[in-house]
Amino acid sequence: MGRGGPGWSVVPADDHRYRPLYARLLGLRIINPGGVLCFLFFEGAVAFAVLLALAELVSWWAVAVLPLAVAIMVKLNDEVAGRVVHSAALVPEQERDRFRRELEPVVGRAPVPYPLPGTVVTDAPAPGRPTGPPLSSRRYHG
């Protein structure tokens, strides 16, 4: 939900009049789908519902219900995003820094229980380790 990124972004209040009609009708506050996404949300849902109805997979009520369902989900997404932004703003900066430090990845510390692709597994002892009986004296008992 960053500003200026592709897809969804927060809209400044003065740019509200330049938003697509779909976003204005839904009253989206936090997310701002662009023109292409609004086209896909509404006209794409209508076209998909018409295709499903022509294929007789659904009744013709789906032409009205599917775009309405998509609009409800977009509005619900906006409400959830608003609550997440609001709750994130309430977390003090000190807690955010502590949380970021706790989530720093530790590289090279996890044991690997299986050989990685490209590694060679051998019976030869590692350099500096004592060797067992020679391979020729080992017998297969099977």
Side-chain angles (χ1 to χ4, degrees):
M1 286 183 284
R3 180 170 258 165
W8 305 78
S9 63
V10 177
V11 178
D14 56 344
D15 290 342
H16 179 72
R17 61 184 167 173
Y18 297 114
R19 296 175 73 191
L21 180 64
Y22 187 78
R24 285 184 285 160
L25 288 176
L26 289 178
L28 302 178
R29 294 175 297 147
I30 301 298
I31 56 177
N32 179 32
V36 174
L37 279 176
C38 287
F39 177 81
L40 289 176
F41 287 153
F42 184 67
E43 283 87 352
V46 170
F48 185 61
V50 167
L51 287 175
L52 288 174
L54 287 172
E56 296 182 357
L57 296 173
V58 295
S59 70
W60 284 97
W61 281 101
V63 176
V65 172
L66 187 61
L68 181 65
V70 171
I72 289 171
M73 293 306 295
V74 170
K75 181 63 178 175
L76 181 67
N77 191 356
D78 183 61
E79 292 297 321
V80 169
R83 291 180 192 255
V84 168
V85 167
H86 179 70
S87 67
L90 296 177
V91 176
E93 187 65 33
Q94 182 180 16
E95 289 292 319
R96 287 185 223 158
D97 290 339
R98 185 175 65 84
F99 183 69
R100 286 185 195 113
R101 281 193 308 271
E102 288 176 2
L103 289 181
E104 289 180 4
V106 178
V107 179
R109 305 262 177 155
V112 180
Y114 54 88
L116 296 173
T119 58
V120 177
V121 179
T122 180
D123 288 340
R129 294 184 76 186
T131 61
L135 290 176
S136 61
S137 67
R138 294 183 193 170
R139 292 189 176 165
Y140 177 71
H141 301 285

